[in-house]
Amino acid sequence: MTVLPEGFLWGGAIAANQAEGAWNVDGKGLSVADIAMYRPDLDVKNYKGHMTVTTESVLKAAKDTSDKWYPKRRGIDFYHHVDEDLELFAEMGFKALRVSIAWSRLFPTGKELTPNQKGIAFYKRMFHKMNELGIEPIVTLSHYEMPLHLSLNGNGWVDRVVIDDFLRFCQVCFTEFNTVQYWLSFNEVDSILRHPFTTAGIIPDQCPENQEEAVIYQALHHQFVASAKATKLLKEIIPNAKMGCMLTKLTTYPLTCKPEDVELTLKKNLQNYFYADVQVFGEYPRLTLNALEKKGIVLSFEPDDLALLKAYPVDFVSFSYYMSMAESTDPNAPRTPGNTVLGVKNPYLPATDWGWQIDPKGLKISLLELYDRYRKPLMIVENGMGAKDVLEEDGSIHDPYRVAYFKAHFEQMKEAVDEGVELLGYTSWGAIDIVSAGTSQMSKRYGFIYVDIDDEGNGTYKRYKKDSFYWYKKVIASNGEDLGD
Ligand code: BG6
């Protein structure tokens, strides 16, 4: 008997905006991802966080018709390589693939009343192929790819009307792709505070002065309501399907056992849980509402909002986990970047070239914490290591660092399951190399499959199997028992 349950959903994950490319093909409209500029050589020591935009920079980028500085416009051209890529995933033995649907491929501006049929045809083909290959789709409805038009007209999720636009999109997805059983509403729903434009189309200079934070929380509330309404709709259209929330699990340790460090850390972790709390428990935590009120932020609820949240919680909890960080009351404690955060350095942990602290034990801790808190099945839908890979002349790629990263994380994942955590599946991030969300670099690679494109889009777009490809294949075939030496 294997530690992991039979039917465990082993696989990988990608997002439309970082993989598909074809940004202006077959009627697709511009999305916020098409505005994301290439940010090379991110200085780890002077990390300033995710990209920031102004109305002027967005309009300028929107007018630019080339993809030169906008790598997400070309992605890895998954749009035209979909069959080949899915076959490679099947060769690795994938049981599941997490993908997202580009909203602006179905509704170019977000405002149309009927969808773009060419967009529907692409995704139908993709799901059909996955079905043929025995790969279960896990579909994110909103993964950093809101139609740009909605951002420029109403400031994205700030305008409550977007809930209706989003539900029109959901209705089409659930009706047209009704074989899909696993859905996620908002990718890293908590990320709206860290990068409001990428996540929710919010352009800071369009918020009333000094109101940016309040406006973001209100937009977040609109997303919570939209998620509950989408869950309701899903159950009406595909009764057995499951809706999950998706959280960036930012596990934080106190740097010391000084009670002040512990309190600060507790608050950081509670802030991280807040988003899933709303979507799982169907209500706002009193501590969060109180903290917001103290900052002068009072959310505006419509009469049915709270009842809706309560009536339509999610069925399972999914999350991304890449790194952990520490926290300290000492303002001079050295800091290092993580997944769009700047945490305190943990002296016990190594880090990637981008400064993200590698912590396999933190994955087990996260699984135990999340399961004990929510008592709902969990799914790890993103985990992996961004690294610079070298394509050898013979077409091989030797990536022992990636194998070591995954092996250590799988050991911890298995321990958590052995201790009682109910885990539905594991999809590694960027199972095939895709454009980085944070830096728009192609050279930050996560995949088991190498794609021959550089940061500026030069290359053959040919796919190569890395050493980790063969290793992951064995892991899946043995349901996680064979992790190599
Ligand atoms: C997650 C996002 O936060 O991290 C992905 O959901 C993203 O879209 C991933 O790609 C890794 O981040 P990055 O910046 O290394 O691509």
Side-chain angles (χ1 to χ4, degrees):
M1 214 178 76
T2 58
V3 174
L4 297 173
E6 210 181 301
F8 186 75
L9 293 171
W10 281 106
I14 56 173
N17 80 87
Q18 292 161 258
E20 284 176 8
W23 65 291
N24 55 1
V25 169
D26 289 342
K28 180 183 171 292
L30 273 181
S31 85
V32 293
D34 298 320
I35 299 304
M37 282 196 88
Y38 173 50
R39 300 196 310 154
D41 301 319
L42 195 72
D43 180 353
V44 166
K45 288 206 181 71
N46 297 303
Y47 178 73
K48 292 198 185 59
H50 214 265
M51 73 160 180
T52 48
V53 294
T54 60
T55 304
E56 197 189 340
S57 74
V58 172
L59 289 172
K60 189 171 166 219
K63 271 197 208 119
D64 192 336
T65 52
S66 105
D67 63 14
K68 187 162 168 64
W69 303 114
Y70 308 98
K72 289 176 189 166
R73 294 183 180 185
R74 49 183 183 264
I76 56 163
D77 199 22
F78 178 72
Y79 193 76
H80 296 109
H81 288 73
V82 56
D83 287 350
E84 177 190 353
D85 292 345
L86 292 177
E87 277 161 22
L88 283 166
F89 294 146
E91 190 183 328
M92 261 188 287
F94 277 25
K95 314 277 180 240
L97 180 69
R98 176 177 172 229
V99 291
S100 67
I101 295 178
W103 186 351
S104 69
R105 208 176 276 295
L106 300 198
F107 291 90
T109 66
K111 283 293 176 196
E112 294 79 1
L113 297 180
T114 52
N116 169 25
Q117 290 303 326
K118 286 192 174 157
I120 291 181
F122 168 71
Y123 291 112
K124 276 204 161 159
R125 232 185 83 214
M126 178 179 82
F127 290 128
H128 180 72
K129 181 81 181 172
M130 283 166 78
N131 187 36
E132 261 178 19
L133 296 168
I135 299 176
E136 181 87 46
I138 299 164
V139 177
T140 316
L141 288 157
S142 176
H143 192 136
Y144 303 165
E145 50 219 353
M146 171 177 228
L148 186 66
H149 177 88
L150 297 180
S151 168
L152 288 167
N153 298 274
N155 214 7
W157 279 92
V158 176
D159 190 347
R160 199 179 158 109
V161 148
V162 168
I163 298 176
D164 298 334
D165 300 327
F166 181 69
L167 287 172
R168 216 164 43 250
F169 164 67
C170 292
Q171 163 103 34
V172 168
C173 291
F174 300 155
T175 312
E176 297 287 349
F177 318 129
N178 59 8
T179 52
V180 176
Q181 294 295 311
Y182 293 99
W183 297 85
L184 307 176
S185 47
F186 292 94
N187 180 64
E188 297 186 332
V189 61
D190 51 292
S191 63
I192 191 169
L193 267 294
R194 298 191 298 279
H195 38 74
F197 178 70
T198 308
T199 303
I202 300 171
I203 304 174
D205 63 34
Q206 297 204 7
C207 300
E209 220 178 313
N210 301 323
Q211 292 294 306
E212 189 182 328
E213 197 183 357
V215 161
I216 293 173
Y217 273 103
Q218 188 60 44
L220 171 67
H221 175 66
H222 297 158
Q223 293 197 327
F224 286 148
V225 172
S227 177
K229 287 189 170 191
T231 305
K232 177 173 188 281
L233 193 64
L234 177 65
K235 306 287 168 171
E236 285 161 12
I237 301 176
I238 323 175
N240 295 324
K242 308 261 179 257
M243 180 67 84
C245 61
M246 198 309 201
L247 181 73
T248 322
K249 186 68 183 76
L250 295 170
T251 301
T252 308
Y253 307 135
L255 186 63
T256 72
C257 51
K258 201 170 115 193
E260 285 76 7
D261 280 356
V262 176
E263 184 193 12
L264 185 64
T265 305
L266 172 74
K267 288 197 171 150
K268 277 235 146 175
N269 283 321
L270 289 181
Q271 169 68 26
N272 186 219
Y273 281 128
F274 149 62
Y275 309 85
D277 284 358
V278 176
Q279 292 186 286
V280 175
F281 301 133
E283 58 190 37
Y284 275 84
R286 193 179 143 90
L287 295 184
T288 307
L289 283 181
N290 200 54
L292 289 180
E293 236 177 272
K294 281 194 194 308
K295 290 199 226 179
I297 299 176
V298 180
L299 298 175
S300 103
F301 299 135
E302 287 208 349
D304 288 347
D305 285 1
L306 297 180
L308 259 168
L309 296 182
K310 197 73 194 166
Y312 297 100
V314 291
D315 302 302
F316 66 98
V317 174
S318 80
F319 65 101
S320 63
Y321 176 85
Y322 292 90
M323 33 63 57
S324 70
M325 56 193 167
E327 201 38 88
S328 165
T329 44
D330 175 0
N332 299 317
R335 292 190 169 256
T336 184
N339 190 1
T340 63
V341 286
L342 198 57
V344 167
K345 262 193 184 165
N346 181 333
Y348 299 101
L349 298 178
T352 70
D353 288 348
W354 280 264
W356 299 22
Q357 302 184 105
I358 302 173
D359 180 16
K361 182 61 81 186
L363 176 61
K364 177 178 177 187
I365 293 168
S366 304
L367 285 162
L368 294 173
E369 280 180 351
L370 286 167
Y371 190 62
D372 195 52
R373 189 177 184 94
Y374 297 124
R375 317 228 165 142
K376 296 249 182 192
L378 304 180
M379 207 188 267
I380 301 168
V381 292
E382 286 188 33
N383 171 241
M385 180 188 183
K388 288 186 175 149
D389 295 327
V390 178
L391 174 64
E392 306 288 351
E393 270 181 19
D394 64 358
S396 60
I397 299 100
H398 307 302
D399 56 348
Y401 36 88
R402 185 167 289 109
V403 170
Y405 178 100
F406 282 125
K407 181 173 188 276
H409 283 77
F410 294 169
E411 279 162 356
Q412 295 303 317
M413 173 173 94
K414 282 165 61 180
E415 278 190 24
V417 171
D418 195 41
E419 289 176 25
V421 168
E422 200 182 338
L423 186 63
L424 298 171
Y426 172 95
T427 57
S428 75
W429 179 249
I432 181 167
D433 294 346
I434 52 179
V435 177
S436 151
T439 65
S440 290
Q441 284 174 293
M442 193 58 219
S443 49
K444 188 181 189 188
R445 297 173 181 272
Y446 285 87
F448 301 111
I449 301 163
Y450 184 95
V451 183
D452 178 30
I453 320 174
D454 68 12
D455 281 351
E456 288 166 32
N458 306 307
T460 60
Y461 284 69
K462 205 172 151 202
R463 276 65 169 151
Y464 295 87
K465 297 170 194 170
K466 303 183 192 176
D467 288 355
S468 56
F469 179 102
Y470 303 100
W471 174 81
Y472 195 41
K473 185 174 175 168
K474 281 198 209 152
V475 171
I476 298 177
S478 62
N479 199 19
E481 291 301 297
D482 182 0
L483 298 182
D485 303 326

